[in-house]
PDB file of all heavy atoms in Angstrom:
ATOM      1  N   ALA A 497    -163.175  36.283 -56.273  1.00  0.00           N
ATOM      2  CA  ALA A 497    -162.678  36.093 -57.646  1.00  0.00           C
ATOM      3  C   ALA A 497    -163.500  35.049 -58.381  1.00  0.00           C
ATOM      4  O   ALA A 497    -162.953  34.142 -59.041  1.00  0.00           O
ATOM      5  CB  ALA A 497    -161.193  35.735 -57.638  1.00  0.00           C
ATOM      6  N   GLN A 498    -164.807  35.129 -58.255  1.00  0.00           N
ATOM      7  CA  GLN A 498    -165.666  34.183 -58.953  1.00  0.00           C
ATOM      8  C   GLN A 498    -167.056  34.784 -59.181  1.00  0.00           C
ATOM      9  O   GLN A 498    -167.463  35.736 -58.504  1.00  0.00           O
ATOM     10  CB  GLN A 498    -165.798  32.891 -58.148  1.00  0.00           C
ATOM     11  CG  GLN A 498    -166.527  33.072 -56.824  1.00  0.00           C
ATOM     12  CD  GLN A 498    -166.622  31.767 -56.039  1.00  0.00           C
ATOM     13  OE1 GLN A 498    -165.703  30.945 -56.072  1.00  0.00           O
ATOM     14  NE2 GLN A 498    -167.712  31.577 -55.333  1.00  0.00           N
ATOM     15  N   ASN A 499    -167.743  34.222 -60.151  1.00  0.00           N
ATOM     16  CA  ASN A 499    -169.121  34.639 -60.412  1.00  0.00           C
ATOM     17  C   ASN A 499    -170.022  34.133 -59.292  1.00  0.00           C
ATOM     18  O   ASN A 499    -169.776  33.060 -58.720  1.00  0.00           O
ATOM     19  CB  ASN A 499    -169.603  34.093 -61.750  1.00  0.00           C
ATOM     20  CG  ASN A 499    -168.840  34.706 -62.910  1.00  0.00           C
ATOM     21  OD1 ASN A 499    -168.445  35.881 -62.852  1.00  0.00           O
ATOM     22  ND2 ASN A 499    -168.615  33.934 -63.956  1.00  0.00           N
ATOM     23  N   ILE A 500    -171.062  34.904 -58.995  1.00  0.00           N
ATOM     24  CA  ILE A 500    -171.986  34.511 -57.925  1.00  0.00           C
ATOM     25  C   ILE A 500    -173.425  34.669 -58.416  1.00  0.00           C
ATOM     26  O   ILE A 500    -173.698  35.430 -59.362  1.00  0.00           O
ATOM     27  CB  ILE A 500    -171.786  35.350 -56.651  1.00  0.00           C
ATOM     28  CG1 ILE A 500    -171.971  36.840 -56.964  1.00  0.00           C
ATOM     29  CG2 ILE A 500    -170.424  35.091 -56.040  1.00  0.00           C
ATOM     30  CD1 ILE A 500    -172.017  37.713 -55.724  1.00  0.00           C
ATOM     31  N   GLU A 501    -174.324  33.962 -57.793  1.00  0.00           N
ATOM     32  CA  GLU A 501    -175.760  34.101 -58.055  1.00  0.00           C
ATOM     33  C   GLU A 501    -176.488  34.205 -56.715  1.00  0.00           C
ATOM     34  O   GLU A 501    -176.217  33.416 -55.801  1.00  0.00           O
ATOM     35  CB  GLU A 501    -176.287  32.906 -58.848  1.00  0.00           C
ATOM     36  CG  GLU A 501    -175.744  32.836 -60.271  1.00  0.00           C
ATOM     37  CD  GLU A 501    -176.327  31.669 -61.042  1.00  0.00           C
ATOM     38  OE1 GLU A 501    -177.068  30.853 -60.447  1.00  0.00           O
ATOM     39  OE2 GLU A 501    -176.030  31.561 -62.240  1.00  0.00           O
ATOM     40  N   ILE A 502    -177.365  35.164 -56.601  1.00  0.00           N
ATOM     41  CA  ILE A 502    -178.136  35.368 -55.366  1.00  0.00           C
ATOM     42  C   ILE A 502    -179.614  35.368 -55.708  1.00  0.00           C
ATOM     43  O   ILE A 502    -180.048  36.070 -56.622  1.00  0.00           O
ATOM     44  CB  ILE A 502    -177.739  36.697 -54.686  1.00  0.00           C
ATOM     45  CG1 ILE A 502    -176.282  36.638 -54.222  1.00  0.00           C
ATOM     46  CG2 ILE A 502    -178.663  36.999 -53.513  1.00  0.00           C
ATOM     47  CD1 ILE A 502    -175.748  37.953 -53.734  1.00  0.00           C
ATOM     48  N   GLU A 503    -180.365  34.567 -54.978  1.00  0.00           N
ATOM     49  CA  GLU A 503    -181.817  34.549 -55.176  1.00  0.00           C
ATOM     50  C   GLU A 503    -182.442  35.571 -54.222  1.00  0.00           C
ATOM     51  O   GLU A 503    -182.329  35.435 -52.993  1.00  0.00           O
ATOM     52  CB  GLU A 503    -182.358  33.152 -54.901  1.00  0.00           C
ATOM     53  CG  GLU A 503    -183.768  32.956 -55.429  1.00  0.00           C
ATOM     54  CD  GLU A 503    -184.197  31.501 -55.379  1.00  0.00           C
ATOM     55  OE1 GLU A 503    -183.652  30.684 -56.169  1.00  0.00           O
ATOM     56  OE2 GLU A 503    -185.061  31.182 -54.538  1.00  0.00           O
ATOM     57  N   ALA A 504    -183.064  36.596 -54.782  1.00  0.00           N
ATOM     58  CA  ALA A 504    -183.581  37.695 -53.966  1.00  0.00           C
ATOM     59  C   ALA A 504    -185.079  37.865 -54.175  1.00  0.00           C
ATOM     60  O   ALA A 504    -185.641  37.467 -55.205  1.00  0.00           O
ATOM     61  CB  ALA A 504    -182.867  38.990 -54.324  1.00  0.00           C
ATOM     62  N   ASP A 505    -185.713  38.448 -53.172  1.00  0.00           N
ATOM     63  CA  ASP A 505    -187.147  38.762 -53.287  1.00  0.00           C
ATOM     64  C   ASP A 505    -187.357  40.158 -53.865  1.00  0.00           C
ATOM     65  O   ASP A 505    -188.434  40.470 -54.364  1.00  0.00           O
ATOM     66  CB  ASP A 505    -187.799  38.697 -51.900  1.00  0.00           C
ATOM     67  CG  ASP A 505    -187.674  37.331 -51.292  1.00  0.00           C
ATOM     68  OD1 ASP A 505    -188.119  36.362 -51.927  1.00  0.00           O
ATOM     69  OD2 ASP A 505    -187.105  37.218 -50.187  1.00  0.00           O
ATOM     70  N   MET A 506    -186.345  40.987 -53.730  1.00  0.00           N
ATOM     71  CA  MET A 506    -186.454  42.357 -54.226  1.00  0.00           C
ATOM     72  C   MET A 506    -185.066  42.848 -54.601  1.00  0.00           C
ATOM     73  O   MET A 506    -184.076  42.489 -53.959  1.00  0.00           O
ATOM     74  CB  MET A 506    -187.079  43.275 -53.163  1.00  0.00           C
ATOM     75  CG  MET A 506    -187.250  44.723 -53.596  1.00  0.00           C
ATOM     76  SD  MET A 506    -187.905  45.765 -52.258  1.00  0.00           S
ATOM     77  CE  MET A 506    -189.590  45.175 -52.169  1.00  0.00           C
ATOM     78  N   VAL A 507    -184.993  43.662 -55.674  1.00  0.00           N
ATOM     79  CA  VAL A 507    -183.729  44.271 -56.096  1.00  0.00           C
ATOM     80  C   VAL A 507    -183.937  45.777 -56.175  1.00  0.00           C
ATOM     81  O   VAL A 507    -184.948  46.251 -56.704  1.00  0.00           O
ATOM     82  CB  VAL A 507    -183.275  43.732 -57.468  1.00  0.00           C
ATOM     83  CG1 VAL A 507    -182.084  44.538 -57.996  1.00  0.00           C
ATOM     84  CG2 VAL A 507    -182.910  42.265 -57.361  1.00  0.00           C
ATOM     85  N   VAL A 508    -182.980  46.528 -55.622  1.00  0.00           N
ATOM     86  CA  VAL A 508    -183.033  47.993 -55.649  1.00  0.00           C
ATOM     87  C   VAL A 508    -181.830  48.516 -56.425  1.00  0.00           C
ATOM     88  O   VAL A 508    -180.695  48.145 -56.126  1.00  0.00           O
ATOM     89  CB  VAL A 508    -183.038  48.576 -54.221  1.00  0.00           C
ATOM     90  CG1 VAL A 508    -183.033  50.104 -54.264  1.00  0.00           C
ATOM     91  CG2 VAL A 508    -184.248  48.076 -53.456  1.00  0.00           C
ATOM     92  N   MET A 509    -182.099  49.344 -57.418  1.00  0.00           N
ATOM     93  CA  MET A 509    -181.030  49.850 -58.276  1.00  0.00           C
ATOM     94  C   MET A 509    -180.789  51.335 -57.995  1.00  0.00           C
ATOM     95  O   MET A 509    -181.730  52.127 -57.991  1.00  0.00           O
ATOM     96  CB  MET A 509    -181.394  49.677 -59.756  1.00  0.00           C
ATOM     97  CG  MET A 509    -181.736  48.251 -60.138  1.00  0.00           C
ATOM     98  SD  MET A 509    -181.846  48.013 -61.920  1.00  0.00           S
ATOM     99  CE  MET A 509    -183.100  49.184 -62.368  1.00  0.00           C
ATOM    100  N   ALA A 510    -179.520  51.686 -57.795  1.00  0.00           N
ATOM    101  CA  ALA A 510    -179.153  53.104 -57.648  1.00  0.00           C
ATOM    102  C   ALA A 510    -178.873  53.648 -59.039  1.00  0.00           C
ATOM    103  O   ALA A 510    -177.754  53.588 -59.532  1.00  0.00           O
ATOM    104  CB  ALA A 510    -177.937  53.247 -56.751  1.00  0.00           C
ATOM    105  N   THR A 511    -179.912  54.142 -59.701  1.00  0.00           N
ATOM    106  CA  THR A 511    -179.753  54.629 -61.072  1.00  0.00           C
ATOM    107  C   THR A 511    -179.169  56.035 -61.070  1.00  0.00           C
ATOM    108  O   THR A 511    -179.291  56.785 -60.104  1.00  0.00           O
ATOM    109  CB  THR A 511    -181.100  54.616 -61.806  1.00  0.00           C
ATOM    110  OG1 THR A 511    -182.059  55.339 -61.028  1.00  0.00           O
ATOM    111  CG2 THR A 511    -181.593  53.201 -62.009  1.00  0.00           C
ATOM    112  N   ALA A 512    -178.563  56.386 -62.192  1.00  0.00           N
ATOM    113  CA  ALA A 512    -177.787  57.634 -62.280  1.00  0.00           C
ATOM    114  C   ALA A 512    -178.669  58.874 -62.142  1.00  0.00           C
ATOM    115  O   ALA A 512    -179.841  58.892 -62.526  1.00  0.00           O
ATOM    116  CB  ALA A 512    -177.046  57.690 -63.606  1.00  0.00           C
TER     117      ALA A 512
END
Side-chain angles (χ1 to χ4, degrees):
Q498 66 181 35
N499 294 326
I500 58 170
E501 292 182 354
I502 295 171
E503 195 170 290
D505 299 304
M506 181 183 289
V507 171
V508 178
M509 305 191 302
T511 53

